[in-house]
Amino acid sequence: MEIRPILASLRKHRIPATLIVLEIALACAVLCNAVFMIGQRMADIHWPNAIDEQGISVITVNGTDPGHAASDIPRDLTALRGIAGVTAVAAGTSMPLDQNPALSGFTTTPDGKTTVNSSIYFLGRGGPQALGLHLLEGRFFNDDEYADSGFKGFNSTGHVLLVTQSDSQRLWPNQNALGKVLYTNGRSWTVVGVVADVLAQDPKFSGPGGRYSTVFFPLQPDGAMGDYVLRSAPQDRARVLREAMDTLSKLEPGAVLQGATYAGMRGDYFADTRSMVWMLMLVCVVMLAVTAFGIVGLTSFWVGQRRQQIGIRRAVGATRGHIMQYFQTENFLLSTAGVVLGMLLAFGINLYLMSRYEMSRMPWYYLPVSAVALWLLGQLAVLGPARRAAAVPPVVATRSV
């Protein structure tokens, strides 16, 4: 196929050609960034979390007398352990991804200036087992450490803690974290165990480096413990939660109880993210549809304006295939110009989003993928007008020549 006649024709129709190029460029820029953002949000939704998410139920208790916590919590735990199917139960102050995030800054030296913000969890006896924590090094807390640990000013009065594998590597690169000490506000705690990565209470706040920045403290029964964590087989979870709610409502008649599965809590946390994914997908579909209809409309208009040119080509021997090939090649050239311009625009938009928001740099492979998508879209969109142009009989097209 000769390119020069096509380029000469495009120069004569600069305005519609320019409109198609700009439309494809805008679609390419939006598509690249939207697909990249969708990929990031989908990755957020599927962040791994090293606890037994499918087997955990959580009951939040409000309205109890904190002064009775030392006697009420052990009584409640004993009753909850009696429910058939419960394999572990414990009290705690909060859960990953719940609505009450608690963070604290830690340093690795007493006078350290570089602070690492970590989510903090206070677990009662049996807490690691109730959450299903995976111990990688060291040990969990012993009975003496639970009994020796209180809650004061959102800090532990004890002397030990657990850290996640990510925090271990971030705080002490290439070193064994066991026995190391963390400091904050004049207090210190020794690391006795390293567990697999558990999501921070608010991973979006913590940022990519702190997504798993988490420490666990032991805690004796305390009024700050508002959650009961029950672990069971996934198939027993709904029944266990229902019976646990009934049990606690009898033991704590004046309390306000709220029960949820951890899977449901995670779903609620990422509800806005899922909505954003759907919205971005809708934007992509609308943008591609508008681009396709634009190409169809302008090409159809273009074909109508060039009926004489088509007729002359048919009269001098051009086949229907030659006519279709002509319009498809023309569209490919326009799409290529639009895609090149769109890639530059997409890169610029990504840099702007990086400077204004917490966006990562868009990997290069999003650009050729979007380019191929728009090339295919252009070819499909021009197919109908090209077939109608090829179907014009020479005698009809040249009637006015």
Side-chain angles (χ1 to χ4, degrees):
M1 171 63 67
E2 284 283 342
I3 302 298
R4 280 184 295 182
I6 298 176
L7 296 177
S9 176
L10 291 176
R11 280 197 293 269
K12 292 181 181 177
H13 301 84
R14 287 190 178 90
I15 293 178
T18 302
L19 288 176
I20 291 179
V21 169
L22 292 178
E23 188 173 20
I24 293 174
L26 181 61
C28 181
V30 173
L31 186 65
C32 287
N33 283 281
V35 171
F36 174 57
M37 293 171 68
I38 290 172
Q40 282 198 316
R41 297 298 176 270
M42 291 295 291
D44 292 348
I45 292 174
H46 294 96
W47 282 332
N49 193 12
I51 62 175
D52 184 14
E53 292 190 342
Q54 298 305 314
I56 292 176
S57 302
V58 181
I59 299 178
T60 302
V61 182
N62 291 307
T64 57
D65 185 351
H68 296 162
S71 58
D72 290 351
I73 290 176
R75 178 202 63 194
D76 295 345
L77 291 174
T78 300
L80 294 174
R81 287 191 190 96
I83 297 174
V86 173
T87 57
V89 61
T93 56
S94 56
M95 291 288 292
L97 310 183
D98 69 9
Q99 302 300 318
N100 301 301
L103 300 169
S104 185
F106 295 96
T107 61
T108 55
T109 58
D111 55 350
K113 296 180 180 179
T114 302
T115 301
V116 174
N117 289 320
S118 296
S119 294
I120 53 177
Y121 302 84
F122 295 85
L123 301 175
R125 187 175 285 106
Q129 292 76 17
L131 287 175
L133 296 181
H134 298 169
L135 185 65
L136 302 179
E137 297 178 73
R139 60 175 176 81
F140 290 138
F141 308 121
N142 58 40
D143 289 345
D144 291 338
E145 289 163 347
Y146 281 113
D148 188 40
S149 299
F151 183 86
K152 184 178 181 180
F154 279 96
N155 273 324
S156 171
T157 61
H159 305 285
V160 295
L161 51 69
L162 303 175
V163 299
T164 59
Q165 186 178 24
S166 288
D167 260 2
S168 166
Q169 295 171 354
R170 189 163 68 141
L171 292 165
W172 302 283
N174 303 317
Q175 298 180 49
N176 189 334
L178 294 180
K180 296 289 193 302
V181 180
L182 282 181
Y183 302 86
T184 187
N185 298 327
R187 298 194 60 84
S188 61
W189 299 271
T190 301
V191 177
V192 297
V194 178
V195 297
D197 286 340
V198 176
L199 281 175
Q201 284 182 306
D202 190 350
K204 293 177 182 175
F205 177 83
S206 302
R211 184 174 300 159
Y212 295 105
S213 189
T214 300
V215 300
F216 298 91
F217 292 106
L219 182 61
Q220 57 183 291
D222 189 279
M225 291 174 157
D227 289 340
Y228 287 114
V229 184
L230 299 99
R231 188 179 179 193
S232 63
Q235 61 271 23
D236 297 331
R237 189 181 54 190
R239 178 186 56 78
V240 165
L241 178 60
R242 187 172 56 253
E243 293 183 13
M245 290 285 287
D246 292 339
T247 300
L248 287 177
S249 63
K250 295 174 182 175
L251 295 172
E252 304 282 0
V256 178
L257 307 179
Q258 183 178 4
T261 63
Y262 189 79
M265 292 172 62
R266 179 174 180 133
D268 291 341
Y269 183 87
F270 288 109
D272 291 342
T273 305
R274 280 197 302 275
S275 298
M276 180 175 289
V277 168
W278 282 110
M279 185 189 70
L280 290 172
M281 292 175 69
L282 181 62
V283 168
C284 291
V285 171
V286 170
M287 181 60 69
L288 291 175
V290 169
T291 303
F293 285 126
I295 293 173
V296 170
L298 283 173
T299 307
S300 297
F301 173 73
W302 217 341
V303 168
Q305 282 194 322
R306 292 189 290 183
R307 287 174 67 85
Q308 289 184 357
Q309 178 188 345
I310 297 168
I312 292 172
R313 287 177 56 84
R314 293 294 308 274
V316 297
T319 64
R320 297 179 61 175
H322 289 147
I323 300 299
M324 290 189 62
Q325 191 178 9
Y326 176 91
F327 281 99
Q328 288 178 311
T329 302
E330 184 181 76
N331 179 269
F332 180 79
L333 293 175
L334 292 172
S335 298
T336 301
V339 162
V340 172
L341 182 60
M343 286 182 177
L344 296 175
L345 188 58
F347 185 69
I349 291 175
N350 180 241
L351 290 179
Y352 175 79
L353 294 175
M354 287 173 60
S355 65
R356 294 283 182 173
Y357 306 100
E358 292 183 359
M359 283 282 294
S360 304
R361 182 179 296 279
M362 181 171 56
W364 64 268
Y365 49 79
Y366 279 87
L367 300 177
V369 169
S370 298
V372 171
L374 286 167
W375 270 321
L376 292 175
L377 177 71
Q379 291 298 301
L380 291 174
V382 81
L383 192 59
R387 293 182 64 179
R388 286 196 296 275
V392 175
V395 64
V396 174
T398 58
R399 188 169 294 162
S400 60
V401 176

